[in-house]
Amino acid sequence: MKKSACKLLLCLLTIVSSVAQAGDEKLMRRMSELTSAFLGTLSAAQKADAQLTYADSARSDWHFTPRERKGLPLKKMSPAQRKAAMAMLQLVLSDEGYRKANAIIDLENVLRVVESRPPNDTYRDPENFSFLVFGEPGTGPWGWRVEGHHLSLHFSLIDGEMTYTPSFMGSNPGKVLADVPQKGKVVLQEEQELAFKLLHTLKPDQLGIAVIKDKAPYEMVTANARKASLDKMEGITMADLSADQKQAFTSLIMAYLRRYHVTLKNQQWQSLEKAGLDQIHFAWMGDREPLIGEGHGHYYRIHGPTFLIEFDNTQNGGNHIHSVVRDLTNDFGEDLLRLHYQKSH
């Protein structure tokens, strides 16, 4: 390559890097502004519930079941405070991701009807989603989360970088069958349909590698573990797929990454490329068609050197979805935090 072409390429790469860095800085600055604005709307008593130190152990105590949890729930916020809290969520998610989060919250209303619960029921409660800030926005390591039934999203901001895992979205029902206004709704439709599309492109010899068990597990293998860990990577690798199959696999991965702000999506994809796309595995268990009924269910996972996605739809006869995105080295910003403390010393 001629020197002039090399200089041009280097210049273009520098520009792209500068634009990406500016995007990261803008996102984090706006995140700090919105979080500070939310905290500024709270009374002293509310703030005591809504803010802890970054080092507090509650930061890694997460779950996706209905339960009492630390933080300030929507039910204890004024309309203005709710608007400020949801603005934080809207910023870090894409339009698609924000719609999914709101749809998951709304499914609590469906469960109240399906389970014949009263309107004031607190177990299936669309207002029982709590916001919790860790540390001081814009100062040192800090972060926040929103968590409730089937929604657990965690964000950490450390030394100019932002992480978003663990990131859980679930859906019960997977498809709304009851005679309610939400009837027919499938919140996590792409995550399911694109997986079956990829599965159905596989040839018999490929299926023999990708399908690791005929029966799906009742729950995600890593569940709500503090640190996600699997003994080994199983299934078929990206390297063993045809060009069309690789595109189908990429589309499935993007169904998860597109939930987030474009900066976070691009950041994660670049990380996957750096670790090696050809090493990412696709593994399947259970039904090979999206069937609903007693005894049915399916599960898949996407497992790379640094990254794990699990999708499980086995409970309630294959109509109750759990899905999670984990960073095997940097959940809760732990890798960034370790580097931060190394620099500090």
Side-chain angles (χ1 to χ4, degrees), residues 199-211 236 245 288:
L199 183 73
H200 293 159
T201 69
L202 300 181
K203 297 178 180 178
D205 59 326
Q206 293 176 312
L207 280 172
I209 301 171
V211 179
I236 192 166
Q245 290 170 335
R288 301 185 193 182

Side-chain angles (χ1 to χ4, degrees), residues 125-337:
D125 188 355
E127 294 185 318
N128 192 23
F129 288 78
S130 294
F131 286 75
L132 186 54
V133 177
F134 300 97
E136 290 294 336
T139 304
W142 74 279
W144 67 279
R145 79 168 183 221
V146 57
E147 187 175 87
H149 182 214
H150 280 167
L151 187 68
S152 186
L153 308 178
H154 304 251
F155 304 93
S156 288
L157 296 90
I158 304 170
D159 294 339
E161 295 190 57
M162 184 172 179
T163 67
Y164 70 92
T165 59
S167 178
F168 180 97
M169 286 189 177
S171 176
N172 180 21
K175 180 177 182 179
V176 180
L177 303 176
D179 190 15
V180 293
Q182 300 90 338
K183 186 173 184 177
K185 183 75 173 178
V186 182
V187 177
L188 302 177
Q189 185 167 0
E190 269 195 323
E191 291 87 340
Q192 177 159 279
E193 289 185 351
L194 290 175
F196 276 108
K197 181 177 180 180
L198 171 58
L199 183 73
H200 293 159
T201 69
L202 300 181
K203 297 178 180 178
D205 59 326
Q206 293 176 312
L207 280 172
I209 301 171
V211 179
I212 58 176
K213 286 186 180 178
D214 291 331
K215 186 172 178 59
Y218 186 72
E219 179 57 276
M220 300 180 305
V221 177
T222 58
N224 68 316
R226 163 64 184 82
K227 183 174 179 61
S229 178
L230 292 171
D231 292 337
K232 58 183 177 179
M233 289 189 283
E234 296 180 282
I236 192 166
T237 65
M238 181 85 80
D240 291 327
L241 301 178
S242 68
D244 288 344
Q245 290 170 335
K246 286 180 179 179
Q247 183 56 53
F249 196 5
T250 299
S251 295
L252 175 58
I253 296 172
M254 281 297 176
Y256 289 86
L257 303 192
R258 277 198 308 270
R259 296 172 176 177
Y260 306 96
H261 187 288
V262 63
T263 295
L264 298 177
K265 181 197 77 170
N266 292 341
Q267 171 185 300
Q268 186 64 68
W269 183 252
Q270 289 164 8
S271 176
L272 293 180
E273 287 183 317
K274 184 177 179 179
L277 296 178
D278 280 349
Q279 298 182 65
I280 300 176
H281 290 63
F282 176 71
W284 188 274
M285 302 185 210
D287 292 342
R288 301 185 193 182
E289 299 293 339
L291 304 173
I292 296 176
E294 186 177 352
H296 288 298
H298 53 278
Y299 163 99
Y300 68 83
R301 67 172 170 255
I302 299 166
H303 191 183
T306 62
F307 187 75
L308 175 68
I309 293 172
E310 285 193 272
F311 177 102
D312 184 81
N313 187 6
T314 55
Q315 298 178 39
N316 298 1
N319 197 30
H320 182 151
I321 297 171
H322 290 169
S323 75
V324 71
V325 180
R326 306 293 302 260
D327 188 313
L328 300 177
T329 62
N330 203 28
D331 267 358
F332 304 104
E334 286 304 300
D335 196 43
L336 289 179
L337 191 62

Side-chain angles (χ1 to χ4, degrees), residues 106-119:
D106 183 52
L107 285 178
E108 295 298 281
N109 291 311
V110 174
L111 291 176
R112 278 182 171 175
V113 174
V114 171
E115 297 175 356
S116 301
R117 295 178 180 272

Side-chain angles (χ1 to χ4, degrees), residues 65-114:
T65 58
R67 68 168 186 171
E68 290 293 326
R69 42 182 41 93
K70 290 187 177 182
L72 188 66
L74 293 171
K75 68 173 66 179
K76 292 184 179 180
M77 297 184 197
S78 69
Q81 291 168 340
R82 289 188 186 196
K83 184 177 180 180
M86 294 304 285
M88 295 162 56
L89 184 58
Q90 190 168 15
L91 174 67
V92 290
L93 298 182
S94 64
D95 290 345
E96 178 183 339
Y98 189 63
R99 284 194 299 270
K100 287 182 179 182
N102 278 286
I104 289 167
I105 293 172
D106 183 52
L107 285 178
E108 295 298 281
N109 291 311
V110 174
L111 291 176
R112 278 182 171 175
V113 174
V114 171

